[in-house]
Amino acid sequence: MESNSNIQRPDNLPLGVVTIVGTVLALSLGDALIKSLGGSGGMGLWQLFAVRSLLAFPVLICGALVFLNRNRLAPRSIRWITIRSLLLTAMWIAYYLALPLLPLAVAAAAYYTLPLFIVAFAALFGRETVGRSQWVGVALGFVGILLVLRPGGEAFVWAALLPILSAILYALAMILTRTKCRNEHPATLALGLNATFIVVGLAGLLVGWMLPVEATGFLSTGWTTMGPKEWRTTAILAGLILVASVGTAVAYQAAPASTVGTFDFAYVGFALIWGAVFFAERPDKIAMAGIALIVIAGVLAVRRS
Protein backbone atom coordinates (compact mmCIF):
# COMPACT_ATOMS: atom_id res chain seq x y z
CA MET A 1 0.00 0.00 0.00
CA GLU A 2 1.62 3.24 -1.16
CA SER A 3 0.86 6.75 0.09
CA ASN A 4 2.05 10.03 -1.35
CA SER A 5 1.16 11.99 1.76
CA ASN A 6 3.61 14.85 2.33
CA ILE A 7 2.34 15.74 5.79
CA GLN A 8 5.34 16.04 8.12
CA ARG A 9 5.24 15.95 11.90
CA PRO A 10 7.11 18.73 13.73
CA ASP A 11 10.53 17.92 15.17
CA ASN A 12 10.78 16.89 18.82
CA LEU A 13 14.48 17.19 19.69
CA PRO A 14 14.26 16.12 23.39
CA LEU A 15 12.32 12.99 22.44
CA GLY A 16 14.84 12.13 19.71
CA VAL A 17 17.86 12.59 21.99
CA VAL A 18 16.48 10.72 25.02
CA THR A 19 15.23 7.88 22.83
CA ILE A 20 18.50 7.39 20.97
CA VAL A 21 20.54 7.33 24.21
CA GLY A 22 18.23 4.68 25.69
CA THR A 23 18.35 2.77 22.41
CA VAL A 24 22.15 2.65 22.21
CA LEU A 25 22.24 1.52 25.84
CA ALA A 26 20.07 -1.46 24.86
CA LEU A 27 22.08 -2.07 21.67
CA SER A 28 25.44 -1.99 23.44
CA LEU A 29 24.27 -4.43 26.11
CA GLY A 30 22.84 -6.71 23.43
CA ASP A 31 26.09 -6.61 21.46
CA ALA A 32 28.08 -7.49 24.58
CA LEU A 33 25.79 -10.50 25.16
CA ILE A 34 26.20 -11.58 21.52
CA LYS A 35 29.96 -11.31 21.84
CA SER A 36 29.73 -13.49 24.95
CA LEU A 37 28.00 -16.19 22.90
CA GLY A 38 31.30 -16.54 21.08
CA GLY A 39 32.18 -16.81 17.42
CA SER A 40 33.72 -20.26 17.59
CA GLY A 41 31.60 -23.24 18.43
CA GLY A 42 28.73 -20.97 19.46
CA MET A 43 25.46 -19.98 17.86
CA GLY A 44 25.64 -18.77 14.26
CA LEU A 45 24.23 -15.44 13.13
CA TRP A 46 21.43 -17.02 11.11
CA GLN A 47 20.15 -19.02 14.07
CA LEU A 48 20.50 -15.97 16.30
CA PHE A 49 18.55 -13.77 13.88
CA ALA A 50 15.75 -16.33 13.45
CA VAL A 51 15.30 -17.33 17.11
CA ARG A 52 15.70 -13.82 18.54
CA SER A 53 13.13 -12.25 16.23
CA LEU A 54 10.75 -15.22 16.41
CA LEU A 55 10.63 -14.52 20.15
CA ALA A 56 10.31 -10.75 19.68
CA PHE A 57 7.83 -10.65 16.79
CA PRO A 58 4.73 -12.02 18.60
CA VAL A 59 5.31 -9.68 21.55
CA LEU A 60 5.70 -6.71 19.25
CA ILE A 61 2.65 -7.43 17.11
CA CYS A 62 0.43 -8.24 20.10
CA GLY A 63 1.46 -5.06 21.86
CA ALA A 64 0.88 -3.02 18.71
CA LEU A 65 -2.58 -4.50 18.14
CA VAL A 66 -3.60 -3.96 21.76
CA PHE A 67 -2.39 -0.38 22.17
CA LEU A 68 -2.65 0.97 18.61
CA ASN A 69 -5.32 1.40 16.00
CA ARG A 70 -4.78 -1.24 13.29
CA ASN A 71 -5.03 1.42 10.59
CA ARG A 72 -1.96 3.15 12.06
CA LEU A 73 0.07 -0.03 11.56
CA ALA A 74 -0.69 -0.20 7.84
CA PRO A 75 2.54 0.48 5.92
CA ARG A 76 2.58 3.52 3.67
CA SER A 77 5.42 2.18 1.54
CA ILE A 78 6.36 -1.49 1.73
CA ARG A 79 9.23 -0.84 -0.67
CA TRP A 80 11.02 1.69 1.54
CA ILE A 81 10.37 -0.31 4.70
CA THR A 82 11.91 -3.38 3.02
CA ILE A 83 14.98 -1.48 1.80
CA ARG A 84 15.48 0.04 5.26
CA SER A 85 15.14 -3.37 6.93
CA LEU A 86 17.62 -4.99 4.53
CA LEU A 87 20.16 -2.20 5.11
CA LEU A 88 19.89 -2.65 8.89
CA THR A 89 20.13 -6.44 8.64
CA ALA A 90 23.28 -6.14 6.52
CA MET A 91 24.61 -3.60 9.03
CA TRP A 92 24.18 -6.02 11.92
CA ILE A 93 25.75 -8.89 9.98
CA ALA A 94 28.89 -6.81 9.33
CA TYR A 95 29.10 -5.63 12.94
CA TYR A 96 28.43 -9.01 14.53
CA LEU A 97 31.10 -10.62 12.36
CA ALA A 98 33.61 -8.17 13.85
CA LEU A 99 32.69 -8.75 17.50
CA PRO A 100 34.55 -12.04 18.06
CA LEU A 101 37.66 -10.55 16.40
CA LEU A 102 37.89 -7.19 18.17
CA PRO A 103 37.62 -5.77 21.69
CA LEU A 104 34.12 -4.36 22.14
CA ALA A 105 35.36 -0.79 22.63
CA VAL A 106 37.51 -0.97 19.47
CA ALA A 107 34.60 -2.31 17.42
CA ALA A 108 32.40 0.47 18.83
CA ALA A 109 34.97 3.14 18.02
CA ALA A 110 35.37 1.87 14.45
CA TYR A 111 31.59 1.85 14.10
CA TYR A 112 31.45 5.47 15.20
CA THR A 113 32.77 6.77 11.97
CA LEU A 114 28.95 6.73 11.78
CA PRO A 115 28.40 10.50 12.43
CA LEU A 116 30.74 11.31 9.54
CA PHE A 117 28.42 9.45 7.19
CA ILE A 118 25.18 10.57 8.88
CA VAL A 119 26.09 14.26 8.69
CA ALA A 120 27.34 13.89 5.10
CA PHE A 121 24.29 11.90 3.97
CA ALA A 122 21.92 14.25 5.84
CA ALA A 123 23.41 17.17 3.90
CA LEU A 124 23.50 15.34 0.55
CA PHE A 125 20.27 13.33 0.62
CA GLY A 126 18.22 14.68 3.51
CA ARG A 127 18.60 18.38 2.55
CA GLU A 128 19.40 19.25 6.15
CA THR A 129 21.43 22.31 7.06
CA VAL A 130 24.70 21.17 8.66
CA GLY A 131 26.58 23.84 10.59
CA ARG A 132 30.30 24.50 10.78
CA SER A 133 30.59 23.19 14.34
CA GLN A 134 29.03 19.90 13.25
CA TRP A 135 31.63 19.46 10.52
CA VAL A 136 34.41 20.31 13.02
CA GLY A 137 32.94 17.71 15.37
CA VAL A 138 32.91 15.11 12.63
CA ALA A 139 36.55 15.90 11.78
CA LEU A 140 37.61 15.55 15.42
CA GLY A 141 35.69 12.32 15.67
CA PHE A 142 37.54 10.98 12.66
CA VAL A 143 40.89 11.85 14.31
CA GLY A 144 39.69 10.01 17.41
CA ILE A 145 38.89 6.96 15.30
CA LEU A 146 42.42 7.02 13.88
CA LEU A 147 43.88 7.09 17.39
CA VAL A 148 41.75 4.11 18.42
CA LEU A 149 42.36 1.99 15.31
CA ARG A 150 45.92 3.14 14.46
CA PRO A 151 45.92 1.93 10.84
CA GLY A 152 49.38 0.77 9.80
CA GLY A 153 50.35 -0.03 13.38
CA GLU A 154 50.66 -3.37 15.11
CA ALA A 155 47.33 -2.86 16.87
CA PHE A 156 45.40 -2.55 13.60
CA VAL A 157 43.49 -5.53 12.23
CA TRP A 158 41.51 -5.63 9.00
CA ALA A 159 38.42 -6.81 10.87
CA ALA A 160 38.14 -3.22 12.12
CA LEU A 161 36.87 -2.28 8.65
CA LEU A 162 33.72 -4.33 9.20
CA PRO A 163 32.27 -1.91 11.78
CA ILE A 164 33.04 0.95 9.35
CA LEU A 165 31.01 -0.85 6.67
CA SER A 166 28.21 -1.31 9.18
CA ALA A 167 28.36 2.43 9.98
CA ILE A 168 27.81 3.30 6.31
CA LEU A 169 24.85 0.92 6.11
CA TYR A 170 23.34 2.25 9.34
CA ALA A 171 23.73 5.87 8.21
CA LEU A 172 21.94 5.09 4.94
CA ALA A 173 19.14 3.34 6.83
CA MET A 174 18.65 6.25 9.23
CA ILE A 175 18.60 8.83 6.44
CA LEU A 176 15.98 6.63 4.78
CA THR A 177 14.05 6.58 8.07
CA ARG A 178 14.09 10.37 8.11
CA THR A 179 13.31 11.01 4.43
CA LYS A 180 11.15 8.10 3.23
CA CYS A 181 9.78 6.42 6.37
CA ARG A 182 9.15 9.40 8.63
CA ASN A 183 5.37 8.96 8.56
CA GLU A 184 5.48 5.21 9.16
CA HIS A 185 4.56 4.16 12.67
CA PRO A 186 7.66 3.02 14.64
CA ALA A 187 5.94 -0.28 15.40
CA THR A 188 5.46 -0.86 11.67
CA LEU A 189 9.17 -0.27 11.04
CA ALA A 190 10.07 -2.56 13.95
CA LEU A 191 7.79 -5.31 12.60
CA GLY A 192 9.37 -4.96 9.17
CA LEU A 193 12.88 -5.19 10.60
CA ASN A 194 12.16 -8.25 12.72
CA ALA A 195 10.34 -9.95 9.85
CA THR A 196 13.46 -9.40 7.74
CA PHE A 197 15.64 -10.89 10.50
CA ILE A 198 13.41 -13.98 10.53
CA VAL A 199 13.48 -14.40 6.74
CA VAL A 200 17.25 -13.88 6.47
CA GLY A 201 17.94 -16.15 9.45
CA LEU A 202 15.75 -18.98 8.19
CA ALA A 203 17.24 -18.60 4.70
CA GLY A 204 20.75 -18.98 6.13
CA LEU A 205 19.73 -22.08 8.11
CA LEU A 206 17.99 -23.52 5.03
CA VAL A 207 21.13 -23.08 2.96
CA GLY A 208 23.09 -24.89 5.65
CA TRP A 209 20.56 -27.73 5.70
CA MET A 210 20.44 -28.13 1.90
CA LEU A 211 24.09 -27.50 1.08
CA PRO A 212 27.22 -28.53 3.03
CA VAL A 213 28.64 -25.03 3.61
CA GLU A 214 32.04 -24.94 5.29
CA ALA A 215 31.58 -22.03 7.68
CA THR A 216 32.44 -21.68 11.35
CA GLY A 217 31.70 -19.24 14.13
CA PHE A 218 29.10 -16.56 13.45
CA LEU A 219 28.92 -17.57 9.78
CA SER A 220 27.94 -21.13 10.66
CA THR A 221 24.76 -22.20 8.86
CA GLY A 222 24.17 -25.19 11.11
CA TRP A 223 21.81 -25.42 14.06
CA THR A 224 23.43 -25.30 17.50
CA THR A 225 21.64 -27.03 20.35
CA MET A 226 20.42 -24.43 22.83
CA GLY A 227 20.54 -25.05 26.56
CA PRO A 228 18.89 -22.97 29.31
CA LYS A 229 21.70 -20.38 29.21
CA GLU A 230 21.40 -19.89 25.44
CA TRP A 231 17.59 -19.61 25.59
CA ARG A 232 17.81 -17.15 28.48
CA THR A 233 20.38 -15.00 26.68
CA THR A 234 18.41 -15.09 23.43
CA ALA A 235 15.21 -14.08 25.27
CA ILE A 236 17.05 -11.08 26.74
CA LEU A 237 18.36 -10.24 23.26
CA ALA A 238 14.80 -10.41 21.93
CA GLY A 239 13.72 -7.82 24.48
CA LEU A 240 16.68 -5.60 23.66
CA ILE A 241 16.06 -5.80 19.91
CA LEU A 242 12.47 -4.73 20.57
CA VAL A 243 13.76 -1.62 22.33
CA ALA A 244 16.36 -0.99 19.63
CA SER A 245 14.11 -1.52 16.61
CA VAL A 246 11.39 0.79 17.96
CA GLY A 247 13.81 3.28 19.50
CA THR A 248 15.84 3.96 16.36
CA ALA A 249 12.66 4.57 14.38
CA VAL A 250 11.23 6.95 17.01
CA ALA A 251 14.48 8.91 17.40
CA TYR A 252 15.19 9.46 13.72
CA GLN A 253 11.58 10.33 12.99
CA ALA A 254 11.45 12.81 15.87
CA ALA A 255 14.56 14.89 15.18
CA PRO A 256 17.05 15.70 12.39
CA ALA A 257 19.34 12.79 11.57
CA SER A 258 22.49 14.92 11.83
CA THR A 259 21.57 15.79 15.45
CA VAL A 260 20.30 12.41 16.63
CA GLY A 261 23.29 10.70 14.99
CA THR A 262 25.74 12.58 17.19
CA PHE A 263 24.08 11.23 20.34
CA ASP A 264 24.68 7.75 18.98
CA PHE A 265 28.20 8.41 20.34
CA ALA A 266 26.87 7.30 23.73
CA TYR A 267 27.30 3.75 22.45
CA VAL A 268 31.09 4.14 22.74
CA GLY A 269 30.88 4.92 26.45
CA PHE A 270 28.49 2.05 27.07
CA ALA A 271 30.75 -0.30 25.10
CA LEU A 272 33.68 0.67 27.34
CA ILE A 273 31.60 -0.19 30.40
CA TRP A 274 30.35 -3.55 29.08
CA GLY A 275 33.82 -4.44 27.76
CA ALA A 276 35.26 -3.92 31.23
CA VAL A 277 32.40 -5.69 33.03
CA PHE A 278 32.05 -8.75 30.78
CA PHE A 279 35.48 -9.19 29.16
CA ALA A 280 37.96 -7.31 31.41
CA GLU A 281 38.96 -5.18 28.40
CA ARG A 282 41.04 -2.10 29.15
CA PRO A 283 41.88 0.24 26.22
CA ASP A 284 45.39 1.74 26.36
CA LYS A 285 46.07 5.46 26.82
CA ILE A 286 46.17 6.27 23.11
CA ALA A 287 42.85 4.51 22.53
CA MET A 288 41.33 6.33 25.51
CA ALA A 289 42.54 9.65 24.08
CA GLY A 290 40.85 8.74 20.81
CA ILE A 291 37.62 7.84 22.58
CA ALA A 292 37.74 11.15 24.49
CA LEU A 293 38.07 12.98 21.17
CA ILE A 294 35.04 11.11 19.90
CA VAL A 295 33.01 12.30 22.90
CA ILE A 296 34.16 15.93 22.40
CA ALA A 297 33.30 15.60 18.72
CA GLY A 298 29.79 14.50 19.66
CA VAL A 299 29.30 17.62 21.80
CA LEU A 300 30.50 19.88 18.99
CA ALA A 301 28.59 18.15 16.26
CA VAL A 302 25.27 18.48 18.08
CA ARG A 303 25.43 22.26 17.93
CA ARG A 304 23.27 23.30 15.02
CA SER A 305 23.40 26.56 13.10
Side-chain angles (χ1 to χ4, degrees):
M1 175 180 177
E2 297 281 345
S3 173
N4 295 322
S5 173
N6 292 320
I7 298 174
Q8 297 291 318
R9 291 178 293 176
D11 286 341
N12 187 334
L13 186 59
L15 173 63
V17 170
V18 171
T19 303
I20 199 62
V21 172
T23 297
V24 296
L25 171 61
L27 279 172
S28 62
L29 177 58
D31 292 342
L33 292 175
I34 287 170
K35 181 177 173 66
S36 72
L37 291 176
S40 177
M43 189 187 305
L45 276 181
W46 320 117
Q47 181 179 348
L48 174 63
F49 280 170
V51 176
R52 182 181 64 178
S53 287
L54 281 170
L55 292 174
F57 197 87
V59 176
L60 182 59
I61 197 167
C62 288
L65 291 175
V66 169
F67 294 106
L68 299 174
N69 187 307
R70 293 185 182 183
N71 292 331
R72 295 185 64 191
L73 290 175
R76 296 171 181 268
S77 175
I78 295 176
R79 177 183 63 177
W80 290 118
I81 291 174
T82 301
I83 294 173
R84 175 186 183 273
S85 299
L86 289 171
L87 284 170
L88 287 174
T89 301
M91 178 274 290
W92 263 301
I93 290 173
Y95 190 67
Y96 288 166
L97 288 177
L99 287 182
L101 307 173
L102 299 170
L104 187 59
V106 170
Y111 176 70
Y112 276 89
T113 50
L114 168 66
L116 170 67
F117 301 113
I118 285 213
V119 171
F121 293 163
L124 292 174
F125 306 128
R127 298 181 181 178
E128 294 183 13
T129 301
V130 178
R132 184 180 301 174
S133 66
Q134 288 180 287
W135 287 116
V136 171
V138 166
L140 283 178
F142 186 71
V143 173
I145 293 296
L146 293 178
L147 289 176
V148 172
L149 298 186
R150 278 164 278 177
E154 294 181 0
F156 179 76
V157 291
W158 287 104
L161 298 179
L162 286 170
I164 295 176
L165 172 61
S166 69
I168 295 173
L169 294 168
Y170 181 79
L172 288 171
M174 291 307 103
I175 295 300
L176 200 62
T177 302
R178 177 74 176 172
T179 59
K180 300 296 183 181
C181 301
R182 190 176 181 185
N183 291 321
E184 302 284 359
H185 196 280
T188 304
L189 295 179
L191 286 168
L193 177 59
N194 281 280
T196 303
F197 277 139
I198 293 170
V199 171
V200 171
L202 292 178
L205 291 171
L206 183 62
V207 168
W209 178 66
M210 296 178 63
L211 301 172
V213 179
E214 291 295 331
T216 58
F218 277 164
L219 284 177
S220 172
T221 55
W223 179 270
T224 300
T225 301
M226 297 174 63
K229 177 184 176 182
E230 287 74 22
W231 279 109
R232 183 170 57 251
T233 301
T234 306
I236 294 172
L237 289 171
L240 293 173
I241 199 63
L242 281 174
V243 173
S245 54
V246 174
T248 51
V250 170
Y252 281 90
Q253 287 178 334
S258 54
T259 298
V260 176
T262 59
F263 280 93
D264 262 327
F265 274 120
Y267 182 102
V268 178
F270 294 137
L272 279 169
I273 294 171
W274 304 135
V277 171
F278 291 114
F279 311 108
E281 296 172 352
R282 299 289 189 277
D284 60 25
K285 292 181 180 179
I286 296 178
M288 286 300 298
I291 291 170
L293 266 184
I294 291 172
V295 173
I296 294 171
V299 174
L300 285 175
V302 77
R303 295 173 59 192
R304 296 180 57 80
S305 302

